[in-house]
Amino acid sequence: MKEVGKLKYIALSKESDISDLVRFSLYLSKKFNEFEMVDFLTNELNGYPEFPFPPFYRVISGVWKIRRNMGASITVEFPHNLEHLNSKIIRDGVSNIFSCLERSGEYIFLRQDKKAIDQELRRCIKKQNPSLANNPIYLAVHKSEFSNILEQVRNKILDWIFELENKGIFGDEIESKESVIMQNNFIQNGNGNNQANVIESPNSTVNQTLNNMFKGDFNYLASNLRSHGVEDADIQELQTIIDVTPLPQSPSEYSPDLKGWMSKMLGKSIDGTWQVAVGSLLATGLQQYFGILG
């Protein structure tokens, strides 16, 4: 399957992970020199900075609630000229937004982090309920507001795919996502002699495919590590080490810093922090990243 075709498949699948979709889109946008999409996807993945203003769909609306020590919360009513206070800009990356949707209940409750708006809210509360002016306040937002953000991102990527196809840009041959996942799971989770045969055969079709696809793709490596329980701080440390050390041609050329990082991860595997046995996963993942077949 061509790369753009694979991207379209992921984008159209409602079961696809939004973070994986954005990461793969970012990879292709860099490959095809689509600089406007690079900026868009980078912000959607990592979160938007304070300036410039993010896309309109990231402005969500809700209702401010006053939390009381006893009894139900109270809704804050605003005059028409202050109804804009019921809106909030969401700058978080798509993975954080998706995490919000996994919470229980129909609503997500957000604090106000802008001092000026918080003061305006307090003034309105003081007029309506003076005794509650200093109580905690939260913006109650229906989950559909967050779902819309992810749908808008998905739609933007689909529009971009259509533009690429109209330009005749389809990308190189690439295996389907399902095939790669099945092969990767077989390498990591196989058993008996079959597992040994796959891991010990550096020239196997499986290893060649994974190596060609993901060489130098740190986003994929990071996603794979994160899916097995590696913390973002550890992934960032790995990226820093890779950025400042020479490119190894074999595992024996790994830098002391890289070996030290791997040892630390092995320790976390022993104490149960990781979700799988980490040795073969680290070895395979880093060899794929560096393009080391042996």
Side-chain angles (χ1 to χ4, degrees):
M1 182 185 295
K2 295 288 187 179
E3 288 171 317
V4 175
K6 178 193 174 184
L7 179 61
K8 180 162 61 175
Y9 173 84
I10 299 174
L12 290 172
S13 173
K14 291 296 184 179
E15 297 180 357
S16 63
D17 183 273
I18 186 66
S19 297
D20 288 344
L21 171 62
V22 174
R23 286 191 191 96
F24 188 43
S25 300
L26 180 58
Y27 159 72
L28 290 185
S29 66
K30 290 180 177 180
K31 179 175 181 177
F32 301 146
N33 295 322
E34 295 279 323
F35 300 115
E36 182 178 342
M37 284 299 293
V38 170
D39 291 341
F40 166 74
L41 294 164
T42 299
N43 287 329
E44 289 294 341
L45 188 62
N46 300 326
Y48 283 84
E50 190 67 23
F51 299 101
F53 197 84
F56 70 92
Y57 57 79
R58 280 181 164 269
V59 180
I60 62 173
S61 298
V63 177
W64 285 102
K65 300 280 189 179
I66 307 172
R67 179 176 291 178
R68 298 189 294 178
N69 292 330
M70 299 181 64
S73 59
I74 297 176
T75 300
V76 182
E77 301 290 343
F78 294 106
H80 290 300
N81 64 323
L82 292 178
E83 287 183 346
H84 66 280
L85 294 178
N86 285 328
S87 299
K88 185 175 177 62
I89 300 172
I90 302 299
R91 299 182 182 275
D92 298 68
V94 291
S95 61
N96 286 350
I97 294 174
F98 182 77
S99 296
C100 289
L101 292 173
E102 292 188 313
R103 299 175 187 174
S104 60
E106 294 184 25
Y107 289 86
I108 296 169
F109 298 91
L110 307 174
R111 285 183 175 272
Q112 178 51 256
D113 51 4
K114 297 290 186 182
K115 184 176 181 180
I117 297 178
D118 183 75
Q119 290 174 344
E120 192 65 44
L121 286 168
R122 299 290 178 183
R123 280 193 288 268
C124 291
I125 294 172
K126 192 171 184 179
K127 292 179 181 178
Q128 298 174 35
N129 298 280
S131 63
L132 301 177
N134 294 321
N135 282 36
I137 53 177
Y138 299 88
L139 185 66
V141 181
H142 196 271
K143 282 186 174 180
S144 60
E145 297 275 334
F146 288 84
S147 296
N148 179 63
I149 294 176
L150 301 185
E151 281 302 302
Q152 293 291 339
V153 173
R154 193 180 295 270
N155 291 339
K156 172 81 171 178
I157 292 173
L158 283 169
D159 289 341
W160 178 56
I161 292 171
F162 182 74
E163 293 175 5
L164 290 177
E165 291 178 335
N166 280 343
K167 295 176 184 178
I169 300 175
F170 299 99
D172 299 328
E173 285 291 338
I174 192 167
E175 292 202 11
S176 69
K177 182 180 181 182
E178 289 76 11
S179 176
V180 172
I181 291 174
M182 289 176 64
Q183 292 169 346
N184 201 28
N185 285 344
F186 183 69
I187 291 175
Q188 294 177 22
N189 302 322
N191 52 62
N193 294 330
N194 288 338
Q195 180 189 26
N197 289 339
V198 173
I199 294 176
E200 292 175 6
S201 178
N203 295 319
S204 68
T205 302
V206 173
N207 283 339
Q208 289 182 25
T209 301
L210 291 172
N211 184 74
N212 291 336
M213 283 181 61
F214 306 125
K215 179 180 179 181
D217 186 352
F218 189 82
N219 284 333
Y220 176 82
L221 176 61
S223 177
N224 194 19
L225 296 176
R226 190 177 291 110
S227 69
H228 288 89
V230 186
E231 297 178 350
D232 285 338
D234 291 324
I235 294 174
Q236 182 60 51
E237 180 183 357
L238 174 62
Q239 184 171 24
T240 300
I241 292 171
I242 289 175
D243 288 343
V244 300
T245 54
L247 182 67
Q249 301 302 313
S250 70
S252 64
E253 296 181 14
Y254 286 169
S255 69
D257 288 341
L258 181 55
K259 291 179 180 178
W261 183 88
M262 293 177 70
S263 296
K264 183 170 70 172
M265 294 303 101
L266 288 170
K268 289 192 173 187
S269 176
I270 293 172
D271 68 23
T273 303
W274 277 46
Q275 299 170 10
V276 295
V278 68
S280 62
L281 176 64
L282 276 180
T284 302
L286 288 172
Q287 287 179 30
Q288 289 166 10
Y289 176 80
F290 292 125
I292 299 171
L293 292 178

